[in-house]
Amino acid sequence: MTHTRMTWQAFRSQLEKYPEQILQFQYAADKLVAPSYHITEIKQAPITSVDCGGKINTWTEIIVQLWEPEQPQTSRAMAVNKALKIVDLVEKNIDLHPNAVVKIEFGNAAFDTRQLYPGEFLLEGENLVVNLQPDATQCKATDRGATCGTPKKQTMEAAESCTPGGGCC
């Protein structure tokens, strides 16, 4: 599944359009983060990697971490303008890269912690619901037209014979 990744600038712009709405995050079908969630931190992570073809890749991610307290403290989620106040506080201390990829980090007792991408922003009554989407692993070399040395449907035997520098992922 290919997913368009949202930049920090686009994410913030979406929030700024709806300051009075109640900010909700949907992490799975019909599953919202509990309304007592907190935005515990916003991290900026510069990434440098080397792919299986030996190419260096760099990008920046901004990770917004959500936490559900064990004892719910409220039955109503925070307003978008409160979330923007947290963003402003962070941006007073860190120059967040406007073109960085945004991820939302979340987990609870029923959902293993992971980083999800913001997808659609849906207006539902007083709520602004950010629909979170999972990511999938990928071979960056295929983005450059490489076949990674394997046919489209790789067999387990072929995967086990792949060696570093051998041209496959």
Side-chain angles (χ1 to χ4, degrees):
M1 161 178 26
T2 302
H3 182 271
T4 303
R5 288 164 173 78
M6 183 173 285
T7 66
W8 177 250
Q9 183 175 8
F11 180 78
R12 183 180 174 122
S13 293
Q14 283 290 349
L15 294 178
E16 288 171 339
K17 288 180 189 177
Y18 307 101
E20 301 305 317
Q21 299 301 118
I22 301 301
L23 184 58
Q24 300 275 0
F25 294 90
Q26 181 173 305
Y27 63 90
D30 300 320
K31 300 280 186 187
L32 295 175
V33 174
S36 60
Y37 74 85
H38 294 269
I39 296 175
T40 58
E41 65 183 4
I42 298 176
K43 307 176 244 190
Q44 180 164 258
I47 309 291
T48 302
S49 73
V50 178
D51 68 27
C52 60
K55 182 178 184 299
I56 295 174
N57 300 281
T58 60
W59 68 95
T60 302
E61 296 177 352
I62 294 178
I63 302 140
V64 178
Q65 186 180 76
L66 306 179
W67 172 69
E68 284 184 1
E70 288 182 31
Q71 298 299 318
Q73 299 155 349
T74 180
S75 60
R76 184 175 170 140
M78 74 174 68
V80 172
N81 58 16
K82 181 176 179 183
L84 286 169
K85 286 178 184 173
I86 295 168
V87 167
D88 288 342
L89 179 65
V90 170
E91 289 183 332
K92 284 180 183 173
N93 293 286
I94 301 174
D95 289 328
L96 296 178
H97 193 290
N99 294 321
V101 174
V102 175
K103 291 184 174 180
I104 308 297
E105 186 173 80
F106 171 74
N108 62 22
F111 188 78
D112 291 336
T113 300
R114 63 186 87 173
Q115 293 177 354
L116 303 158
Y117 292 106
E120 290 182 281
F121 282 65
L122 307 168
L123 280 175
E124 296 179 358
E126 68 176 355
N127 296 319
L128 176 64
V129 179
V130 181
N131 187 10
L132 302 177
Q133 302 294 315
D135 193 13
T137 58
Q138 61 190 27
C139 177
K140 287 181 177 47
T142 58
D143 293 343
R144 298 188 306 273
T147 62
C148 291
T150 59
K152 287 249 185 227
K153 288 197 174 187
Q154 181 179 10
T155 64
M156 183 57 102
E157 184 177 302
E160 290 172 352
S161 68
C162 186
T163 59
C168 61
C169 287

